[in-house]
Amino acid sequence: LGDRYLIGKLVLYDSSYHIRLIDQDRSLAADATRGTLHYGFTERIEVAPTILHYSGATPSSQFYDQSLIPVLRGSTDTLHKDRVVWEVDWREEWAFNQQGPKSKRTKRWLEFAKKNRIEPDEAWFVVVRTKHYKLVEFPKLPPLLFKLPSEDKNIADEQPKILSDMRKKLFDWIASVDS
């Protein structure tokens, strides 16, 4: 908390969303990987299928993602993500603050939204992050593109090819979720 003088999770920076996942697999099958670190991308949507897998249950087809157990037990080809995607929805800022903002952060957000003519149904963004780049897409504002690890300089105008590639990754992800 307090990174970039911000508090909370309604921001686009890695420090707000990068959470280390720590797991202890007591199975003998995990002995080969015990004490090791996996640096690939994982997402919170993999936690429920993993817990079900641990319990011996088969995750329902309703789960979008898969169990992390194979990775925890040494398989390198079962889970390889070249990106992670997350969304942030600010619409509740309007819902909870119709009688006036209750915090400085909310007041600043509402002033920003008014200045940029952002309507309540446009108060969200989606982030696509790869190992080297991060794209932040807003419904109404220009995109932000960062070359990581820096999240200080928007390179979207300077790098149209990378912007296009990152947008393709976003649209591919949307298509995979909708199918």
Side-chain angles (χ1 to χ4, degrees):
L1 293 177
D3 221 20
R4 299 174 180 271
Y5 303 99
L6 299 169
I7 296 175
K9 296 288 184 185
L10 295 178
V11 295
L12 54 95
Y13 301 109
D14 274 4
S15 57
S16 291
Y17 287 92
H18 184 192
I19 302 167
R20 299 193 188 283
L21 176 63
I22 300 172
D23 180 79
Q24 181 180 6
D25 186 344
R26 295 174 186 229
S27 166
L28 294 177
D31 282 351
T33 59
R34 202 167 309 289
T36 62
L37 299 174
H38 173 71
Y39 290 98
F41 289 121
T42 59
E43 298 177 87
R44 285 181 278 179
I45 58 174
E46 295 155 345
V47 173
T50 302
I51 291 170
L52 287 170
H53 192 158
Y54 270 132
S55 72
T58 303
S60 159
S61 62
Q62 292 176 327
F63 282 103
Y64 165 69
D65 231 311
Q66 58 190 339
S67 169
L68 295 170
I69 298 287
V71 173
L72 297 171
R73 295 184 180 169
S75 175
T76 57
D77 60 319
T78 57
L79 180 66
H80 176 72
K81 294 182 176 197
D82 67 340
R83 66 184 175 260
V84 288
V85 179
W86 68 88
E87 299 170 274
V88 174
D89 188 337
W90 288 328
R91 288 177 285 193
E92 74 179 43
E93 296 290 338
W94 266 278
F96 291 122
N97 293 289
Q98 292 303 312
Q99 274 69 37
K102 296 177 179 45
S103 70
K104 288 180 184 178
R105 179 188 70 125
T106 301
K107 183 177 180 183
R108 284 193 303 266
W109 159 245
L110 292 172
E111 288 169 357
F112 173 82
K114 184 176 180 180
K115 176 183 169 193
N116 289 283
R117 296 187 175 110
I118 297 172
E119 298 298 322
D121 63 339
E122 299 167 328
W124 57 271
F125 63 84
V126 62
V127 178
V128 181
R129 187 195 190 285
T130 65
K131 185 176 182 180
H132 300 290
Y133 295 97
K134 177 191 286 185
L135 170 66
V136 185
E137 283 280 2
F138 302 89
K140 199 168 189 176
L141 300 173
L144 299 174
L145 179 65
F146 301 113
K147 180 164 179 24
L148 301 171
S150 174
E151 295 176 291
D152 296 326
K153 183 176 186 237
N154 181 10
I155 62 168
D157 291 337
E158 301 166 17
Q159 299 290 339
K161 170 80 169 90
I162 294 169
L163 177 62
S164 175
D165 292 347
M166 292 296 287
R167 282 181 162 159
K168 182 177 181 332
K169 288 182 184 299
L170 172 61
F171 298 137
D172 289 348
W173 175 82
I174 291 169
S176 75
V177 173
D178 284 345
S179 61

